[in-house]
Amino acid sequence: MRRLQPPASGRSHRPGYARRDSNLALFGALFSGVVLLVAILLLLLQRADPTRFGAFRATMTDALAPVTSLARAPIDALRFTGGGLARGWQAIEHNRQLEKELIAARRKARQMPEMQREIERLQALLRLHRPERVLVATGVASSVAPSGATRSAIVSVGREAGVTPRMPAIAPEGLAGRITDTGARASRIMLLSDSMSRVPVLVARTGWAGLAQGTGAALVFVFDVASERDQLLPGDRLVTSGDGGLFPPGIPVGRIVDPRHNPPRIAPAANPESLGIVMIEKAWMEPLATDIPARGTSPTAARPPVDRPPVDRPPADKPPTPPPAAAP
Amino acid sequence: MTPDPAARRYQYRLGLAMPAVSIFLTIIGLAALPLPLPFGILPDFPLLFLLVWGVLQPRLLPLWLALLLGIIADTAEGLPIGVQTLVFPLVILMTGAMLLRFQSRSHLVDWISAALVIGLATFLEWQLMAFLRQPTALLPLALQAATTILAFPLAVSACLGIEKRLRRWAD
């Protein structure tokens, strides 16, 4: 029987393919580690400075805007056709309702010039300086990202049209959200239902102030009312209050649909599924601190305090609202 | 069968790129879709396709490609960079571990394993959003994870269909 001889040198006698496989596995593990390190590094950079990837995000927004518009074209066409058919079907009923509303509006309009003159006279006496709303650009909101973590849309105007982060985006029906990222020819809107969205609002009927707060899934009204007798009613309209200086006052935000829910739920005035044409305006009042970065900035430094309170602050921390003031 | 070798090479390369292309298309497609539900929750198809392709064709989805797709997903969905950028490669690693663990699998075992990976990925996404100082509600993410798990068979049949066509094309 032949005895096994020890190897002459210290080198391994494994077959070549086994050694190659082992090396490949080692190289693969090292490469995996490097890729994960890169991902973690990107994450840490984003945390350290949320504006660091602003240029990259802007480029990607620009690149994605035409692709998403193209992908959305058939859906928009279907919606347009369906909407047209539905409007045609309900035309007579709709027409009757509009006629009624027109008569009521005319009756109100007769009283308006006198009221307007009175308001102007009082404002002149008070030397009130009211900031003007300034339209920056008008674009088409072409897509909505249905991610579980964010609620956003892309609009077809960007830096070239003068759009900058933090500007309010207003649809014909009401407030849509605010700009967070801007590319050269496209921008991203943070919608009202995004979990980072906070909009100071008033109840038009009572003048109670509060916040329309996105939860990521829905829009709710966070408020504090002194009297327990006072209650919200289904259908109560909410408009922007102008607090915080970002959104101009009087823009419809939504209406209360479930006042008994805690906090009450709001149906947004502007349907996020079909925003359509969107106006981008300048911030109603320019903030004193100018470095307001895009989405993802530190809550303490990013936005005005009223516009974005700390997330874990209970609504009770808000001072009680004074008795009803006139809604704008 | 294509007689021209250049055309065959082209088809082969296209086949190799198909998993990544299909994931990219789901990212773009989802960004373009309107919200069909009041909650706005659609299955996370990019994650689902990544998971299924990671099981079916692990060699065609290397880690670096998952990283690139993650960056694209972050920018397309409006997430801060780093969330899907980290989640996607980790999902590929998890599917690799799954493949080693369950050599002879049934569809049910696959589904349960996928549910586990989706749950972990969603939890990680939630934690990373909080880490990046953008805490988000867990409910929409949990709903999205649930719809993603339910849509798993759909993604499997779609990916199997693509793979079958590619095999037929390559022969």
Side-chain angles (χ1 to χ4, degrees):
Chain A
M1 201 171 114
R2 214 174 71 180
R3 291 180 63 186
L4 285 173
Q5 296 294 320
S9 66
R11 295 175 63 186
S12 165
H13 271 225
R14 282 185 302 167
Y17 64 84
R19 202 161 52 231
R20 196 185 60 214
D21 279 0
S22 157
N23 289 342
L24 275 176
L26 185 66
F27 178 74
L30 274 175
F31 188 67
S32 301
V34 169
V35 170
L36 284 181
L37 272 179
V38 170
I40 291 169
L41 187 69
L42 288 172
L43 186 80
L44 291 176
L45 285 174
Q46 173 76 46
R47 182 182 154 92
D49 180 8
T51 56
R52 185 178 292 272
F53 299 109
F56 174 69
R57 294 176 72 90
T59 311
M60 285 297 285
T61 306
D62 273 344
L64 285 175
V67 182
T68 49
S69 300
L70 197 69
R72 200 181 157 90
I75 296 160
D76 283 343
L78 274 177
R79 174 171 282 157
F80 181 75
T81 313
L85 285 174
R87 276 195 298 277
W89 190 257
Q90 298 164 347
I92 295 173
E93 185 57 35
H94 192 58
N95 195 28
R96 278 185 195 141
Q97 194 182 338
L98 284 177
E99 276 175 358
K100 275 184 199 166
E101 284 178 11
L102 186 64
I103 291 166
R106 276 184 182 150
R107 199 177 300 140
K108 262 190 184 172
R110 276 186 222 115
Q111 302 164 354
M112 285 298 285
E114 284 173 28
M115 286 171 68
Q116 186 64 33
R117 270 197 297 276
E118 182 65 15
I119 289 169
E120 281 169 7
R121 193 179 66 82
L122 290 172
Q123 284 181 352
L125 280 174
L126 292 169
R127 293 185 181 173
L128 176 70
H129 174 70
R130 187 184 288 276
E132 293 290 324
R133 286 172 61 179
V134 180
L135 178 68
V136 174
T138 305
V140 178
S142 60
S143 71
V144 174
S147 158
T150 58
R151 293 283 175 276
S152 64
I154 292 177
V155 65
S156 63
V157 283
R159 280 194 311 272
E160 286 177 0
V163 178
T164 57
R166 200 175 166 270
M167 286 182 167
I170 301 167
E173 299 83 11
L175 190 67
R178 75 173 126 196
I179 301 290
T180 52
D181 299 319
T182 49
R185 287 174 298 279
S187 310
R188 187 178 289 279
I189 302 174
M190 181 203 285
L191 298 173
L192 297 182
S193 54
D194 189 284
S195 60
M196 300 300 287
S197 171
R198 308 281 186 279
V199 180
V201 290
L202 287 174
V203 181
R205 182 176 60 85
T206 61
W208 298 336
L211 286 175
Q213 181 178 323
T215 64
L219 188 60
V220 295
F221 181 46
V222 180
F223 72 118
D224 187 18
V225 179
S227 164
E228 285 188 7
R229 278 188 316 155
D230 300 326
Q231 288 199 339
L232 289 171
L233 299 174
D236 268 347
R237 283 191 330 112
L238 298 176
V239 294
T240 50
S241 65
D243 285 346
L246 178 60
F247 303 106
I251 308 291
V253 172
R255 61 186 171 76
I256 301 287
V257 286
D258 189 1
R260 292 189 182 280
H261 193 271
N262 187 21
R265 287 182 184 278
I266 305 170
N271 183 1
E273 289 176 38
S274 54
L275 287 175
I277 292 172
V278 171
M279 293 182 297
I280 313 295
E281 293 189 0
K282 263 191 169 178
W284 189 54
M285 289 165 72
E286 288 300 330
L288 292 175
T290 50
D291 55 341
I292 304 297
R295 180 189 170 87
T297 317
S298 158
T300 52
R303 294 164 188 161
V306 177
D307 184 31
R308 184 176 164 179
V311 170
D312 54 352
R313 192 180 76 169
D317 285 358
K318 259 172 57 54
T321 311
Chain B
M1 189 164 170
T2 316
D4 183 9
R8 275 190 70 86
R9 268 202 305 276
Y10 173 71
Q11 284 179 2
Y12 177 71
R13 283 176 193 159
L14 197 66
L16 291 185
M18 208 53 211
V21 168
S22 64
I23 295 167
F24 176 76
L25 288 178
T26 54
I27 293 170
I28 300 298
L30 275 192
L33 275 179
L35 303 174
L37 301 168
F39 277 96
I41 304 301
L42 273 176
D44 192 348
F45 279 113
L47 176 69
L48 209 46
F49 270 58
L50 186 85
L51 183 61
V52 176
W53 279 122
V55 173
L56 288 180
Q57 294 287 348
R59 283 173 184 275
L60 299 189
L61 265 184
L63 225 52
W64 62 267
L65 196 55
L67 180 94
L68 282 183
L69 288 166
I71 293 173
I72 294 171
D74 276 341
T75 46
E77 293 177 13
L79 294 167
I81 301 282
V83 179
Q84 304 286 34
T85 309
L86 185 57
V87 169
F88 276 22
L90 286 176
V91 165
I92 291 292
L93 285 179
M94 282 191 268
T95 51
M98 254 167 55
L99 282 173
L100 285 178
R101 181 79 55 190
F102 308 112
Q103 283 296 335
S104 57
R105 308 181 307 272
S106 70
H107 182 64
L108 187 65
V109 173
D110 273 349
W111 201 345
I112 292 169
S113 314
L116 198 68
V117 174
I118 291 165
L120 281 173
T122 305
F123 179 74
L124 191 63
E125 191 181 339
W126 184 53
Q127 287 293 312
L128 289 178
M129 289 295 285
F131 176 72
L132 291 172
R133 300 192 187 106
Q134 296 190 38
T136 185
L138 185 59
L139 177 69
L141 280 174
L143 276 175
Q144 188 173 41
T147 51
T148 307
I149 291 167
L150 287 176
F152 179 73
L154 192 72
V156 169
S157 59
C159 291
L160 279 175
I162 295 171
E163 194 192 32
K164 205 170 162 184
R165 270 171 199 273
L166 286 177
R167 280 185 194 283
R168 207 179 296 157
W169 204 15
D171 290 340

